[in-house]
Amino acid sequence: MNSFPAILALSLNLAVPSVVIGFLIGFGGIGGVLLAPALSVIGGLPIQEAIRICMWVYVVSGVVGTAMFLRNNYIRGRMLLALTAGVCPSALAGAFALNWLGAPHLEILMAVVIFTSGLFTLNRLHFVGSGQASLNEIGLVAIGLVTGFGSSLTGTGGALILIPILLFAHIEVKQALGLAQAIQIPIGVVASVINFYSGYLDLALGSLIAVAVGAGVLAGAAYAHRSSSTQLKFWVGLSLVLCSLVYGLHAAGLLL
């Protein structure tokens, strides 16, 4: 798509769903799973092109969300650095793998894991976790490796894989959401650099969509800060269950 009027028309057509998805990303960290299907179904983009645009969008949404959670001291630097050390090389591998590897088997596995994580979260709404001591640097790097590769390959931005793992480790929900916002940035940057220099990234379209998603993230993160941990866990758990269904339908070929 080379014509700027065509790009602008498509981005306007996607503006409302992009803002809604951005709100879900900012509020519960999970909405990114809907972005690639929205670009494909509503925008008519091939799924691989949609995933590449998503990775650029996550850079912007990650910056916005991280700024909001940093203001309230929900992001721990030690944990973020260790996660980033694992995320960067694996996101690089995932970006290369996207060019030649389909991901239906990965999506089926993720659907099962995410569904289980959602039920686990809903079952522990009133549990208050600190979790910082339960994950050392080696464990966090390993989590980053899994998060980076799976996110870059499937276009989910990091939160969909990272949040269930952190909640299983009893990380407090707002800390988990803050880390999920921040981890979008290295994943998106690494994948987008590879996609751009490979000639596969529509930077103009991605940037216009990123503006709409970023606005939604700003509103969603602001609302998350005013919500209790129990409320957030409920919505995150419900979102995980619903997103597992999205993955299952996509893997079965019933959702583009």
Side-chain angles (χ1 to χ4, degrees):
M1 183 178 297
N2 299 316
S3 167
F4 184 75
I7 291 173
L8 183 59
L10 178 56
S11 63
L12 289 174
N13 190 40
L14 290 164
V16 172
S18 296
V19 171
V20 172
I21 290 169
F23 181 88
L24 295 174
I25 293 173
F27 178 68
I30 310 296
V33 67
L34 302 174
L35 187 56
L39 295 178
S40 181
V41 174
I42 300 174
L45 299 176
I47 189 62
Q48 285 189 319
E49 183 179 350
I51 289 174
R52 294 184 182 107
I53 288 176
C54 286
M55 302 318 295
W56 173 243
V57 170
Y58 295 144
V59 177
V60 176
S61 64
V63 169
V64 174
T66 299
M68 295 292 291
F69 278 85
L70 274 174
R71 289 174 55 190
N72 292 273
N73 199 30
Y74 287 128
I75 299 177
R76 300 290 180 263
R78 176 191 71 84
M79 299 179 73
L80 179 57
L81 286 174
L83 286 169
T84 302
V87 155
C88 289
S90 61
L92 182 67
F96 279 117
L98 179 63
N99 293 326
W100 56 270
L101 180 67
H105 299 298
L106 176 63
E107 289 181 337
I108 293 172
L109 176 62
M110 286 178 64
V112 173
V113 172
I114 292 164
F115 181 78
T116 304
S117 300
L119 292 182
F120 173 85
T121 303
L122 291 172
N123 191 49
R124 296 174 66 84
L125 290 180
H126 300 289
F127 177 85
V128 179
S130 62
Q132 295 185 56
S134 64
L135 289 173
N136 58 26
E137 278 74 9
I138 294 176
L140 288 164
V141 170
I143 291 171
L145 287 169
V146 173
T147 300
F149 185 81
S151 300
S152 183
L153 186 63
T154 58
T156 54
L160 192 63
I161 299 174
L162 181 61
I163 287 178
I165 297 174
L166 294 181
L167 292 179
F168 266 123
H170 298 163
I171 300 297
E172 200 278 326
V173 63
K174 290 186 179 179
Q175 289 187 31
L177 291 175
L179 288 168
Q181 296 295 334
I183 211 65
Q184 294 180 84
I185 302 172
I187 292 174
V189 167
V190 170
S192 295
V193 167
I194 297 301
N195 293 330
F196 180 78
Y197 281 103
S198 299
Y200 295 127
L201 176 61
D202 191 332
L203 195 59
L205 177 59
S207 297
L208 289 172
I209 294 171
V211 171
V213 172
V217 170
L218 190 65
Y223 189 67
H225 296 316
R226 296 195 294 269
S227 302
S228 69
S229 293
T230 300
Q231 288 175 317
L232 279 173
K233 280 190 177 182
F234 172 77
W235 288 112
V236 169
L238 182 61
S239 297
L240 287 169
V241 170
L242 294 176
C243 285
S244 71
L245 298 179
V246 171
Y247 259 97
L249 290 172
H250 187 268
L254 300 176
L255 180 66
L256 294 179

